[in-house]
Amino acid sequence: MSAPASVEVIARDGAARVATVRLPAGSFTTPCFMPVGTRASVKALDSADVEGAGAEVLLANAYHLMLRPGAAVVAAAGGVGEFSAWRGLTLTDSGGYQAYSLGAPVDDDGINFRSVYDGSRARLTPESAVEVQEQLGADIQMVLDVCAPWPSPVQELRSAVERTDAWARRAKRAHRRSDQALFGIVQGGCDLALRRESAERSATTGFDGYGIGGLSVGEPREEMLAALAAAIAALPEDRPRYLMGVGDAVGIVEAVALGVDMFDCVAPTRAARHGTILTDAGRFSLRRAAWAGDTAPLEEGCACPTCSRYSRAYLRHLLVVREPSALRLLSIHNLAWVFRLLDRVRAAVRANALDGLRREVAATWGGDGI
């Protein structure tokens, strides 16, 4: 039994919307980006850094946390938010994507894993994924799903849809915490009929919100957006829609135009750790020798703590000599840039001007990812 997440729409521009999503533990504004704190920590950052960048919701991963430090440890600490001293809302992914990325064997009843830490055996079923996430205590938990690779034959996509649907219904029956929202997940690859069918099945089962998974796994953007549109057309208006694993500028803006409310992605902070800087003018590599004597900030006009204090020359120096502080400072900037982009998106929706921002972002990024 779950407490539905309510969506209060504040502004619309076509299918795009600015809204307040209310959960039992609090609310957040959409469109929103959720930084990925896989092990209850965004790499190179602490909770105060992530909060300062503008995040309202932090994502953690149930598979990793059940292995280290263990769900019982997190539960005893008061849940993943208290455990990590995070003051905002939290979402835990179920482990379905880890099955895809790690090549874990999947059967009709669940997923068999080898621990990435010590090689020990671990297993997740729809019911145990709910139990683990209820122990972790996130404000939003995701059902266990099956993500098929791209490209996949239609039979494999059909199997993923069937299992995801069956597992979602089992997860809903197992869910007990009324203070924790439960989101379903839509699969189906880039097959438009299967995407719509998966969305219809998930909507019929009825969840507090809906994740759209299995996209941004190598398919062309045009196919991704078509599959996304097919899914959204079958999902209820009064629930949040969450595009899983997308965090590049073009992907965010185009998905918002189709009606997506929530995003997560490791790309902005991963790029920072490799020296790639995100700006409104595009991206650049801070490793280039051209920046060795540049006293300008990473991005003119950026008010993030990194740009407010440090020069490109100094930050490049830290990066080149492998000072750990470089990873933190560059990650702070890239996260701040993502949240500034979302501010611009929300302002454009309110002003009925999203098409203009779409054109601007497409011209700057040229369809390129992070």
Side-chain angles (χ1 to χ4, degrees), residues 97-110:
Y97 182 80
Q98 278 61 47
Y100 159 79
S101 62
L102 298 172
V106 178
D107 56 52
D108 284 341
D109 190 53

Side-chain angles (χ1 to χ4, degrees), residues 102-229:
L102 298 172
V106 178
D107 56 52
D108 284 341
D109 190 53
I111 305 169
N112 291 308
F113 290 98
R114 285 279 190 180
S115 168
V116 296
Y117 301 101
D118 60 13
S120 62
R121 295 181 184 276
R123 181 166 173 83
L124 278 173
T125 66
E127 294 81 7
S128 68
V130 167
E131 181 182 0
V132 165
Q133 291 181 89
E134 289 186 343
Q135 285 183 283
L136 295 175
D139 302 298
I140 300 170
Q141 67 157 282
M142 308 300 298
V143 300
L144 189 66
D145 65 321
V146 179
C147 176
W150 182 88
S152 289
V154 67
Q155 302 96 312
E156 190 170 347
L157 295 177
R158 163 62 64 186
S159 175
V161 166
E162 295 287 350
R163 278 178 169 157
T164 296
D165 175 55
W167 289 3
R169 286 183 276 112
R170 288 168 57 183
K172 186 171 182 181
R173 289 194 296 270
H175 188 232
R176 295 290 179 266
R177 286 189 59 164
S178 61
D179 61 338
Q180 187 180 53
L182 178 66
F183 279 28
I185 299 180
V186 177
Q187 289 291 344
C190 291
D191 186 296
L192 303 188
L194 281 177
R195 274 288 166 187
R196 184 174 186 93
E197 178 186 336
S198 182
E200 287 172 347
R201 287 183 171 204
S202 194
T204 298
T205 301
F207 291 98
D208 301 326
Y210 297 88
I212 301 162
L215 294 175
S216 194
V217 291
E219 75 281 359
R221 191 183 301 281
E222 296 75 18
E223 292 189 30
M224 181 193 86
L225 293 175
L228 179 59

Side-chain angles (χ1 to χ4, degrees), residues 268-287:
T269 48
R270 177 182 288 165
R273 296 194 303 273
H274 290 279
T276 297
I277 308 306
L278 311 179
T279 76
D280 289 346
R283 64 178 182 175
F284 69 88
S285 174
L286 191 62
R287 293 186 180 276

Side-chain angles (χ1 to χ4, degrees), residues 182-348:
L182 178 66
F183 279 28
I185 299 180
V186 177
Q187 289 291 344
C190 291
D191 186 296
L192 303 188
L194 281 177
R195 274 288 166 187
R196 184 174 186 93
E197 178 186 336
S198 182
E200 287 172 347
R201 287 183 171 204
S202 194
T204 298
T205 301
F207 291 98
D208 301 326
Y210 297 88
I212 301 162
L215 294 175
S216 194
V217 291
E219 75 281 359
R221 191 183 301 281
E222 296 75 18
E223 292 189 30
M224 181 193 86
L225 293 175
L228 179 59
I232 288 175
L235 294 176
E237 277 271 323
D238 63 347
R239 294 290 183 267
R241 301 127 169 189
Y242 161 29
L243 177 56
M244 306 175 76
V246 171
D248 66 286
V250 174
I252 287 174
V253 174
E254 292 301 320
V256 167
L258 293 173
V260 170
D261 302 303
M262 302 164 63
F263 300 87
D264 81 278
C265 195
V266 299
T269 48
R270 177 182 288 165
R273 296 194 303 273
H274 290 279
T276 297
I277 308 306
L278 311 179
T279 76
D280 289 346
R283 64 178 182 175
F284 69 88
S285 174
L286 191 62
R287 293 186 180 276
R288 289 176 51 199
W291 313 124
D294 194 325
T295 59
L298 293 176
E299 182 173 19
E300 295 285 358
C302 177
C304 80
T306 301
C307 289
S308 298
R309 184 160 187 165
Y310 301 105
S311 69
R312 292 180 178 182
Y314 179 67
L315 294 166
R316 179 184 179 276
H317 160 68
L318 296 181
L319 186 66
V320 169
V321 300
R322 299 185 178 181
E323 280 290 339
S325 58
L327 308 183
R328 173 176 177 264
L329 293 170
L330 301 186
S331 296
I332 286 172
H333 168 78
N334 277 7
L335 268 191
W337 174 81
V338 173
F339 287 109
R340 192 168 70 245
L341 173 65
L342 267 295
D343 286 342
R344 295 175 65 200
V345 168
R346 289 190 290 267

